[in-house]
Each structure stands twice: as structure tokens, then as C-alpha cells.
């Protein structure tokens, strides 16, 4: 008979129950390092015991007289979901929240419209953007961020096991050191930070002048955690949240949350974190979670590159790379098989790729912030043809020719100014000069497109501009390939693995075949493709006709990948920062400038001569007039009649 242990809160003793027959109980989530409970029963007097009592009292849980605390109830043989079956999970924080349930309810009602905007992605609407970005709504968002940041001030939010407890819970209550239990909508932790970032509310984003650790944790820990809980992401994405959390044993970074991910592996004694992560990754791919194969590569150090093959995801960077992929659920076209780390999957052969030029990594300032607009402007190199290519590649098929020209004009015209700001390390103060209202409108939409799924893929890798040609549709298109820094040397082929972002745009898998396997056909089952990287989002207009391309089975990566075997560490060492080329000499512009100066000099010379001549003429005229007046005066004095009062 399997048993279940609970603490009776009336007498503070442990009681044992048969599984499935336990009374209603409150499950406690806390950080062990906070030491809120005594080492032995009873729990009173202690902060943890008082928190349990006050919660049962103030939340009207009269029927609940039992609680589950891991320190005293962990010894059990039941495999039941402890936190999911509880009446509620009480999260105990050691800092003050200074909130009542009435205040929380009132604030949530004030933010109902903001939640709706986030769900519908309507923040680009003119009226909505004006109100929430610049008007009274901005004040509400800033105040909401200040309140939400109170939940991040305790150790609880940075631990591995507390994340699992939060995600498994059916109902959640929060309580701080002020002993006032409250419940709050999980979507607020997702929507409010997200809106602040999209609307560029710098007072409370990771780019703000007054940024502190409270806001940073909202973005790096709580936002993704809450998104996973409300079901907005694939369940296996909880594994990406462990990269920024702490555990007593490093391997708990994998074991501690895999139950929530729905993919579990056996626990092996004294296993390293990297080994456990590799086994979990293979199990996830075998279970059909193909998004982990579509994770964009990152620039690696010598030690990191030595332990990784092309299909893998580096354990220490999994949270950054997974969140930057822009992918949630990737449903494979067919079964996925993993053998010796080689992934066999079903895909569509889109066509060959041609590498045009290297773009480089994204531009980061001294603080590590990514500046998208500066990156794109530098990619354009101040040249018209390059600016058009960048507008087309990153536009993902969204814009017509006129709009692409407007975007290219902004990229080209702001190049010199962008270089000056970068050289002076004033990136945060840079903003592009927009010539007209159409420029402002298209550029704002372009930046909005890049802020979410498109450009995030390039955050940690090296970009290459490529052209993909689809023989079936005869529609070539430009896009960006993201690699680990290694320029592909062999022939490249694009595959569609049914990886689509939230806005239904495609992410393609770009594979390279080794020189020793050039003679093999693409459909040859013995051919092992090397994962060169993935593309940024490709628009649906380019994908017209892809459904008619037959499916085929391909093998990617693993220990049999010939490209991985011949790749040395020195091959993937790249320049850590974005290369900024100086503007090339524009001879046509120089000639126009010289001719303009010559014309200006000739015109000025003519004007000067006319003015001088006019002044001489006026001087002569004035002198002659003065002489005439003087002679007339003398003549008048000599011949003037003599007047007398006596003369009639």
C-alpha cells in the first residue's frame, strides 16, 4: 500500500494517509536557503508556520487543516502529483509584498485592456500605442512593473525546484513577510513586461537608465516561467528556463524540471549536467519535439566546440538559444529517430543555396545590449545595393517594392551617422533620421517585425546573406543563414521541417554535405547532412507551392557527420564584434561636389563684380550730385535779389 504524509496544522504532527484518500491540503513552495521553518516540528513559532496559519485563516480555507512541507513529508512511496493535487500551492517569500487582494483585483481591472492588447498583438495600433506608450496607460504600466518587481526580491524566484513546484500547481497563492496572502493573474507576468519592451518604456525595461535587478528578473525569470504555466509555449521549453537558475547539484538543472517537460530520463548516480542534458535532448527529439533541432547555433569557445556536434544544443547556453529561436511547437512531418546522436527526420527538399556575403554577428554595446537598427544599418555598408538586399532579406516577404525602397533609404542614409555613434560608444542615444511620414510608418512596422520572431535568431550566431532557389516553384529569395561562425565550404541545401513561428513564417534548416559525399544523392539514406545553421523567418509568399514538394527522409549530425569531424576549433573562431566597414569612396559624388564648387565660385565671382561696379557707379553719382548742389548754391548766392522790408 502506497502512503502519503501530511502535517496536521491543528497539532503540528505528521500523519500518514493511503494514496488517493488524503484530505484536502495546502502544498508549500519555498527556498531552502531562506530557513523559514524549524528543523523539527512543531512549525510554530516560525515565519513559515505563521504564513501557513494566516493563509488558512484569511483565504477562507476552513476545510483545509493539513499542509505538505518537503522538509517533513518528502519520505513517501507515492508517485502522485503533490503540487497538482493540492487545494492550492502557497509560495512563501521572505520580502514584503505590501499588497491586499482588493488592491490586486483593482489593479488587474485597470490592466484588462493591456492584457487584451498583448493577446491580440495590437500594440502597433495608433490609438493603443499612443495611450499605452505615451499617455496615461504608460503610467499604469510603469506602476504595474514596480508592483510585479516585488515578487522578484526573494530567493524563491532563482531556484530550480521552485520552478517545478510553480508549474505543477493548479492554484497558486503568494504571501510575503507582511503575512497577507494574495492571488494574482499569471498573465500579468507575461504581458506587462512584454508590452513595456514592445512600447519602448525605458523606465522599466532592460535597456532603461535606471535598470535594476528587480526588472531584470521579471524579464529573465518570471516572464518565461509564467508563459509556460499559462500554456503559451511548448512544455519542453521549461528546460530553457534552467539556464539562469541555481541548484545545489548542477545536474538538478536537468533532473529538477524534466517531469514538467513531459520528457523524462532515468536518473544516473554521479552523472554530470552535460551528460544528462545530452540524454534528455535525444529523448526529446525522439518524442517528436523537433524544435530542439531547429535551435539557431551560437559562437562557441574552444572548449564548447570540442564537446558538441552540429545537431546538439550547448547546455550552458540552452536558455538563450531556445528563447531566441522564435519557435514554439514544431510538429514533424513524420517519425523522428535518433541513433548515435544522428537525427533521422522527414523533410521537404526546398532547393540549393548560394552564400552571397558574410553579415557578421549583431552589434552589442559595452553593456551587452543588442541594437537591431544599428546592426541592420551596418549590414547595409552604406551602399544602395546592400541596403536593398538587407531590406528584402529581413523583410521576410512582408513589403512591396516601394516599401522596400523606403527601408533601404533609411539604412543607407543613416550609415555615416550610425558609424559615428558606434565609434563614440553612444549607441543608446542613436535614432535614425527619417525623411518623411511614409519613411516613419514603414520603418516603425519594420522594427516591430524584427523585434519578435525575425531578428532574434541572429542574437548569438553569425549571419550570412544567402539566396535560396526552389526548382519546384522557380521562386528564388534572399534570407539570412545563422551559423556558429564557420563559413560553409560545401554545397548548401535548404530543408523545410515544418518549423513555423507564431506568425506562421517558416524557419528553414540549412544543411551542408561534406566533400567526400558529393556524389551521393540527396535522398540517399547513407548520406549524413551537416547542420550548417537555420534561417531567419521566411515569408509565406515564398512558400507557395512547397506543399507539392515530396517528403523525404534525411539524416542530420551525430558522430558520423563528416563535416563535424574535419572542423577544427580554429575554423570557427570569429571576430567577437560586428565589423564596421568604412564607407567606400563614391567617385560620382566627388565629381558632383567638385562641379558644384566650381559653379558656385563662378556665380560668386559674377555677383561680386556686379556689386563692386554698382558701388563705384553710386559713388561717382553721389560725387557729381554734391558738386552740382554746391555750384547751384554759389550761383544762387551771387545773383540772389536783395529783399527789404521796406521794398514793396
Amino acid at each position: 500500500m502506497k502512503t502519503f504524509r501530511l502535517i496536521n496544522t491543528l497539532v503540528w504532527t505528521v500523519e500518514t494517509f493511503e494514496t488517493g484518500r488524503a484530505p484536502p491540503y495546502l502544498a508549500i513552495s519555498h527556498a531552502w536557503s531562506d530557513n523559514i521553518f524549524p528543523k523539527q516540528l512543531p512549525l510554530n513559532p516560525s515565519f513559515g508556520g505563521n504564513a501557513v496559519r494566516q493563509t488558512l485563516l484569511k483565504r477562507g480555507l476552513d476545510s483545509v487543516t493539513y499542509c505538505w512541507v518537503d522538509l517533513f513529508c518528502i519520505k513517501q512511496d507515492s508517485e502522485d502529483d503533490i503540487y497538482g493535487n493540492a487545494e492550492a500551492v502557497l509560495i512563501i517569500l521572505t520580502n514584503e509584498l505590501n499588497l491586499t487582494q482588493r488592491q490586486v483585483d483593482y489593479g488587474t481591472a485597470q490592466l484588462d485592456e493591456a492584457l487584451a492588447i498583448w493577446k491580440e498583438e495590437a500594440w502597433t495600433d495608433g490609438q493603443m500605442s499612443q495611450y499605452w506608450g505615451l499617455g496615461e496607460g504608460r503610467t499604469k504600466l510603469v506602476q504595474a512593473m514596480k508592483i510585479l518587481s516585488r515578487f522578484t526580491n526573494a530567493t524563491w524566484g532563482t531556484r530550480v525546484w521552485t520552478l517545478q513546484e510553480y508549474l505543477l500547481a493548479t492554484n497558486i497563492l503568494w504571501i510575503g513577510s507582511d503575512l497577507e496572502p494574495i492571488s494574482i493573474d499569471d498573465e500579468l507576468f507575461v504581458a506587462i513586461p512584454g508590452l513595456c519592451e514592445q512600447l519602448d518604456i525605458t523606465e522599466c525595461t532592460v535597456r532603461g537608465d535606471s535598470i535594476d535587478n528587480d526588472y531584470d528578473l521579471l524579464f529573465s525569470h518570471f516572464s518565461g516561467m509564467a508563459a509556460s504555466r499559462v500554456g503559451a509555449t511548448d512544455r519542453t521549453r521549461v528546460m530553457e528556463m534552467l539556464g539562469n537558475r541555481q541548484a545545489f547539484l548542477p545536474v538538478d538543472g536537468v533532473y529538477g524540471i524534466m517531469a514538467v517537460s513531459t520528457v523524462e530520463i532515468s536518473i544516473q548516480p554521479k552523472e554530470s549536467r552535460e551528460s544528462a542534458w545530452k540524454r534528455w535532448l535525444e529523448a526529446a527529439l525522439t518524442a517528436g519535439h523537433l524544435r530542439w533541432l531547429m535551435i539557431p547555433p551560437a559562437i562557441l569557445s574552444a572548449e564548447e566546440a570540442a564537446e558538441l556536434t552540429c545537431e546538439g544544443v550547448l547546455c550552458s547556453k540552452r536558455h538563450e538559444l531556445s528563447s531566441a529561436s522564435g519557435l514554439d511547437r514544431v510538429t514533424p512531418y513524420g517519425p523522428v529517430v535518433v541513433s548515435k546522436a544522428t537525427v533521422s527526420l522527414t523533410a521537404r527538399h526546398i532547393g540549393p543555396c548560394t552564400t552571397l556575403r558574410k553579415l557578421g554577428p549583431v552589434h552589442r554595446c559595452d553593456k551587452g545590449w543588442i541594437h537591431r537598427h544599428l546592426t541592420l544599418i551596418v549590414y547595409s555598408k552604406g551602399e544602395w545595393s546592400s541596403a536593398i538586399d538587407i531590406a528584402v532579406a529581413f523583410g521576410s516577404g512582408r513589403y512591396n517594392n516601394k516599401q522596400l525602397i523606403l527601408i533601404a533609404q533609411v539604412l543607407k542614409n543613416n550609415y555615416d551617422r550610425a558609424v559615428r555613434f558606434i565609434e563614440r560608444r553612444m549607441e543608446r542615444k542613436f535614432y535614425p533620421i527619417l525623411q518623411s511620414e511614409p519613411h516613419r510608418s514603414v520603418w516603425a512596422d519594420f522594427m516591430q517585425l524584427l523585434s519578435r520572431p525575425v531578428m532574434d535568431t541572429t542574437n548569438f550566431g553569425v549571419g550570412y546573406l544567402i539566396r535560396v532557389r526552389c526548382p519546384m516553384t522557380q521562386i528564388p529569395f534572399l534570407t539570412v543563414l545563422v551559423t556558429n561562425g564557420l563559413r560553409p565550404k560545401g554545397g548548401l541545401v535548404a530543408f523545410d521541417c515544418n518549423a513555423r513561428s507564431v506568425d506562421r513564417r517558416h524557419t528553414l534548416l540549412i544543411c551542408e554535405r561534406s566533400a567526400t559525399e558529393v556524389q551521393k544523392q540527396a535522398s540517399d539514406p547513407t548520406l549524413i547532412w551537416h547542420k550548417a545553421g537555420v534561417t531567419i523567418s521566411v515569408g509565406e509568399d515564398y512558400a507557395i507551392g512547397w506543399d507539392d514538394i515530396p517528403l523525404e527522409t534525411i539524416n542530420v549530425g551525430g558522430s558520423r557527420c563528416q563535416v563535424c569531424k574535419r572542423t577544427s576549433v580554429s575554423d570557427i573562431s570569429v571576430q567577437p564584434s560586428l565589423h564596421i566597414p568604412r564607407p567606400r569612396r563614391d567617385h560620382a559624388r566627388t565629381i558632383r561636389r567638385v562641379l558644384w564648387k566650381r559653379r558656385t565660385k563662378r556665380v560668386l565671382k559674377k555677383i561680386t563684380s556686379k556689386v563692386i561696379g554698382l558701388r563705384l557707379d553710386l559713388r561717382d553719382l553721389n560725387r557729381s550730385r554734391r558738386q552740382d548742389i554746391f555750384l547751384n548754391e554759389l550761383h544762387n548766392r551771387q545773383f540772389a535779389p536783395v529783399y527789404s522790408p521796406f521794398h514793396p
Side-chain angles (χ1 to χ4, degrees):
M1 180 181 68
K2 295 184 177 181
T3 58
F4 189 74
R5 293 160 60 100
L6 293 172
I7 297 176
N8 188 327
T9 60
L10 299 178
V11 294
W12 298 117
T13 57
V14 174
E15 298 181 12
T16 303
F17 299 90
E18 185 179 348
T19 300
R21 295 185 179 182
Y25 64 94
L26 192 70
I28 310 303
S29 176
H30 67 105
W32 283 16
S33 59
D34 289 337
N35 296 317
I36 63 173
F37 291 109
K39 294 182 179 180
Q40 58 185 8
L41 295 174
L43 299 185
N44 272 350
S46 68
F47 168 58
N50 290 337
V52 172
R53 275 281 173 84
Q54 291 299 316
T55 301
L56 296 176
L57 248 147
K58 295 181 178 181
R59 298 298 299 189
L61 300 174
D62 299 332
S63 61
V64 179
T65 57
Y66 289 87
C67 68
W68 189 92
V69 181
D70 50 6
L71 293 171
F72 307 98
C73 306
I74 197 65
K75 295 179 181 179
Q76 61 183 51
D77 52 12
S78 172
E79 297 179 356
D80 281 4
D81 185 354
I82 298 168
Y83 295 92
N85 294 333
E87 290 291 308
V89 172
L90 177 63
I91 298 174
I92 302 179
L93 307 178
T94 53
N95 61 290
E96 291 187 357
L97 294 178
N98 290 325
L99 287 173
T100 63
Q101 192 61 52
R102 183 177 179 182
Q103 291 172 329
V104 172
D105 294 340
Y106 175 79
T108 304
Q110 295 293 309
L111 297 169
D112 280 344
E113 186 179 3
L115 291 175
I117 291 173
W118 177 255
K119 291 177 181 177
E120 299 172 7
E121 298 187 4
W123 53 79
T124 56
D125 180 78
Q127 293 182 349
M128 298 297 183
S129 178
Q130 182 71 21
Y131 178 79
W132 291 99
L134 301 172
E136 183 182 347
R138 185 186 185 100
T139 305
K140 293 181 181 179
L141 291 177
V142 172
Q143 183 62 26
M145 286 291 287
K146 291 179 179 178
I147 293 175
L148 291 177
S149 67
R150 300 176 191 174
F151 293 82
T152 69
N153 290 335
T155 312
W156 180 91
T158 62
R159 311 302 292 182
V160 168
W161 290 100
T162 55
L163 172 62
Q164 176 175 260
E165 295 159 4
Y166 172 85
L167 295 175
L168 290 174
T170 304
N171 301 303
I172 287 180
L173 294 173
W174 302 79
I175 192 169
S177 59
D178 50 347
L179 298 178
E180 188 66 38
I182 60 171
S183 62
I184 188 169
D185 190 348
D186 294 296
E187 289 190 359
L188 291 174
F189 290 104
V190 183
I192 303 305
L195 282 176
C196 288
E197 189 171 31
Q198 295 299 330
L199 297 173
D200 198 23
I201 302 179
T202 56
E203 304 96 292
C204 47
T205 63
V206 293
R207 296 176 183 270
D209 293 331
S210 59
I211 183 66
D212 55 32
N213 190 48
D214 297 341
Y215 294 135
D216 191 17
L217 287 175
L218 274 177
F219 286 95
S220 62
H221 290 63
F222 278 69
S223 182
M225 176 181 73
S228 181
R229 174 170 163 75
V230 299
T233 62
D234 184 272
R235 293 298 284 181
T236 61
R237 291 194 64 179
V238 301
M239 301 302 287
E240 77 186 40
M241 303 176 197
L242 301 178
N244 51 20
R245 292 177 180 267
Q246 302 173 2
F248 180 74
L249 296 175
V251 73
D252 284 346
V254 179
Y255 293 158
I257 201 66
M258 63 182 181
V260 184
S261 73
T262 68
V263 176
E264 297 189 58
I265 58 175
S266 60
I267 297 177
Q268 297 182 359
K270 299 181 180 181
E271 186 178 24
S272 67
R273 182 188 64 170
E274 287 70 22
S275 174
W277 167 251
K278 186 177 181 180
R279 289 197 301 118
W280 182 91
L281 189 61
E282 291 184 4
L285 289 170
T286 304
H289 297 281
L290 200 58
R291 71 175 301 275
W292 292 99
L293 180 65
M294 304 301 296
I295 299 298
I299 302 172
L300 305 177
S301 65
E303 295 77 11
E304 294 168 342
E307 65 181 60
L308 199 67
T309 50
C310 60
E311 86 292 342
V313 179
L314 192 65
C315 181
S316 59
K317 294 184 178 180
R318 64 191 183 279
H319 59 295
E320 296 175 332
L321 299 176
S322 179
S323 60
S325 68
L327 299 172
D328 186 19
R329 294 179 177 87
V330 176
T331 304
Y333 286 125
V336 180
V337 179
V338 182
S339 175
K340 296 182 179 179
T342 299
V343 183
S344 300
L345 67 148
T346 305
R348 285 192 169 95
H349 187 292
I350 301 302
C353 308
T354 304
T355 304
L356 301 180
R357 67 181 176 92
K358 179 181 177 180
L359 299 178
V362 296
H363 177 70
R364 297 175 183 267
C365 64
D366 294 340
K367 294 185 178 181
W369 299 342
I370 296 174
H371 296 268
R372 293 187 178 93
H373 48 2
L374 284 172
T375 298
L376 293 176
I377 292 172
V378 172
Y379 282 171
S380 71
K381 302 193 298 185
E383 300 174 359
W384 181 248
S385 59
S386 297
I388 288 289
D389 288 343
I390 295 301
V392 172
F394 284 94
S396 301
R398 180 183 179 91
Y399 304 103
N400 57 36
N401 290 340
K402 182 178 180 180
Q403 292 171 324
L404 290 173
I405 290 174
L406 293 175
I407 294 172
Q409 286 175 340
V410 175
L411 295 173
K412 180 180 181 298
N413 295 341
N414 285 275
Y415 181 79
D416 291 340
R417 186 166 178 269
V419 171
R420 289 196 302 270
F421 274 76
I422 292 174
E423 290 176 345
R424 298 172 184 175
R425 299 183 179 180
M426 298 171 58
E427 294 94 338
R428 187 175 55 84
K429 296 183 179 181
F430 174 81
Y431 58 90
I433 301 298
L434 307 175
Q435 298 170 297
S436 64
E437 184 58 35
H439 287 89
R440 285 189 287 271
S441 177
V442 175
W443 185 257
D445 186 83
F446 187 49
M447 287 293 101
Q448 183 65 43
L449 172 68
L450 300 182
S451 65
R452 297 203 72 187
V454 177
M455 201 170 176
D456 285 350
T457 310
T458 64
N459 283 356
F460 304 98
V462 176
Y464 286 87
L465 186 68
I466 64 172
R467 179 184 290 110
V468 181
R469 184 177 59 84
C470 180
M472 177 70 72
T473 63
Q474 296 298 317
I475 302 177
F477 57 91
L478 293 179
T479 187
V480 177
L481 164 65
V482 182
T483 74
N484 61 357
L486 177 65
R487 184 185 181 96
K489 299 178 181 178
L492 296 180
V493 173
F495 290 100
D496 170 32
C497 303
N498 201 28
R500 301 193 183 189
S501 59
V502 179
D503 55 2
R504 305 303 297 165
R505 288 182 171 85
H506 293 258
T507 296
L508 300 179
L509 177 67
I510 306 299
C511 293
E512 175 186 1
R513 72 170 78 197
S514 67
T516 59
E517 297 179 318
V518 174
Q519 303 300 327
K520 294 183 179 180
Q521 297 294 325
S523 57
D524 191 333
T526 63
L527 174 60
I528 305 297
W529 290 95
H530 171 75
K531 176 186 171 182
V534 298
T535 66
I536 63 174
S537 297
V538 175
E540 288 188 280
D541 291 344
Y542 300 137
I544 297 175
W546 287 3
D547 292 340
D548 298 329
I549 300 175
L551 295 171
E552 60 184 61
T553 301
I554 61 173
N555 304 308
V556 180
S559 57
R560 294 178 292 168
C561 177
Q562 298 300 317
V563 178
C564 289
K565 288 181 178 180
R566 66 173 171 78
T567 301
S568 62
V569 175
S570 59
D571 291 334
I572 63 174
S573 59
V574 298
Q575 188 172 351
S577 60
L578 180 61
H579 174 61
I580 305 173
R582 301 300 304 176
R584 295 182 181 177
R585 183 178 296 277
D586 191 340
H587 297 288
R589 181 184 298 177
T590 303
I591 293 173
R592 288 195 299 268
R593 187 176 299 156
V594 170
L595 293 176
W596 177 81
K597 287 183 178 180
R598 288 179 180 177
R599 288 195 300 268
T600 303
K601 288 181 179 179
R602 287 198 296 267
V603 172
L604 288 175
K605 187 175 181 179
K606 290 180 180 179
I607 294 174
T608 303
S609 62
K610 289 182 179 180
V611 170
I612 293 175
L614 182 61
R615 288 178 179 175
L616 292 174
D617 294 342
L618 290 175
R619 192 179 300 116
D620 295 340
L621 176 61
N622 290 338
R623 186 182 299 113
S624 63
R625 288 186 64 187
R626 286 197 298 272
Q627 291 175 353
D628 291 341
I629 293 172
F630 179 71
L631 292 174
N632 288 334
E633 288 180 351
L634 291 176
H635 183 271
N636 291 336
R637 290 178 184 178
Q638 184 177 359
F639 299 101
V642 179
Y643 295 97
S644 172
F646 303 102
H647 192 274

